[in-house]
Amino acid sequence: MTRLHLLLLTLLTCLAGTNLQGQVSPLRPDERSLAKTERPLTTPLLDEWVRQAALPTARNLSGVAWATATHAFASGDGLTMVETLDGGVTWSDVDLPSSSTDPLYNISCADANTCVAIGNSATTGPDIYRTSNAGASWQRVTKFPLGGSWYHIDFISPTEGFMGSNGATVHTQDAGATWQLKSAYPSC
C-alpha cells in the first residue's frame, strides 16, 4: 500500500472509532418533543405537506420554480402552467399564447420577474415561453434552435442560463430572450 492509502485508512479508522452520531428530526415529532413546546397536537406543523389534488390541476406536473418566497409557477402535461402568489395555498391557471397540447417539462426563474418554461422544439415552433414581468404576460421564445425536447434548465445569474437534453446544450446571455446551440441537437 502507498502512504496515501495508509493515511486514508488511518483517518477512516480514527473517525469510525470516535463513534460520531448524527441526529435526524422526525417529520412528525413524538409526544416527548411536543411536550417541550407549548404547541397543541392539533396545530399543523410547518414542514407538513398539504394535499391539493385535484388542485392546482388534474394534469401531471413535472416542473416547478419559485420566483420569490411566495410566488411560484408549476408546469406539466398539455401545455399546463399554474401559478401561486401565496406560497402554494391557492393556484390559478396561466394562459399561454399557444394552442399546442405538448407538455412543458420544466421551468426556471432567473429572478423575481424573469422565468422560462420549456417543452418541445418542433418544426412548428418551440414550446419555450418567457415572462419578464413576473408572469403578467408570457411570450413564446422564437430565437431558439428547432429540434428536440428540452427537459433541464437553470440560470446561473439573472442573465445567463443553460438548457439541456440528451447530450445537447443551449445557452442564453440575455435572460432567456434568445438561445444559442452549444452542442449537438438532442436525440429525442
Side-chain angles (χ1 to χ4, degrees):
M1 278 207 245
T2 67
R3 284 184 165 199
L4 178 60
H5 287 112
L6 287 174
L7 179 64
L8 288 174
L9 183 59
T10 304
L11 180 64
L12 287 174
T13 305
C14 290
L15 287 176
T18 60
N19 198 17
L20 295 175
Q21 293 182 358
Q23 181 177 354
V24 177
S25 299
L27 190 56
R28 293 184 184 271
D30 61 16
E31 296 202 20
R32 285 180 297 162
S33 62
L34 282 176
K36 295 177 186 175
T37 67
E38 296 182 18
R39 182 168 55 194
L41 286 173
T42 56
T43 304
L45 298 173
L46 294 176
D47 58 352
E48 285 188 19
W49 289 89
V50 177
R51 183 179 175 142
Q52 301 247 327
L55 298 173
T57 179
R59 306 252 185 180
N60 290 324
L61 298 175
S62 55
V64 65
W66 291 88
T68 68
T70 57
H71 187 195
F73 298 94
S75 61
D77 289 351
L79 206 67
T80 297
M81 186 182 299
V82 291
E83 172 182 31
T84 182
L85 297 168
D86 56 15
V89 176
T90 60
W91 294 83
S92 59
D93 288 324
V94 173
D95 289 324
L96 295 173
S98 177
S99 59
S100 173
T101 58
D102 284 342
L104 290 174
Y105 299 114
N106 212 339
I107 188 165
S108 182
C109 295
D111 57 34
N113 291 309
T114 306
C115 300
V116 177
I118 61 174
N120 295 323
S121 178
T123 56
T124 57
D127 284 333
I128 313 292
Y129 300 89
R130 179 179 180 267
T131 182
S132 57
N133 56 11
S137 63
W138 289 81
Q139 295 78 35
R140 195 174 204 173
V141 175
T142 58
K143 296 187 187 240
F144 190 88
L146 293 180
S149 300
W150 298 89
Y151 298 103
H152 311 285
I153 182 171
D154 196 14
F155 283 91
I156 60 171
S157 76
T159 57
E160 190 170 11
F162 292 89
M163 197 182 308
S165 180
N166 297 330
T169 305
V170 290
H171 177 244
T172 183
Q173 291 181 313
D174 57 9
T178 62
W179 295 83
Q180 296 78 37
L181 188 64
K182 292 297 180 185
S183 66
Y185 281 99
S187 57
C188 8

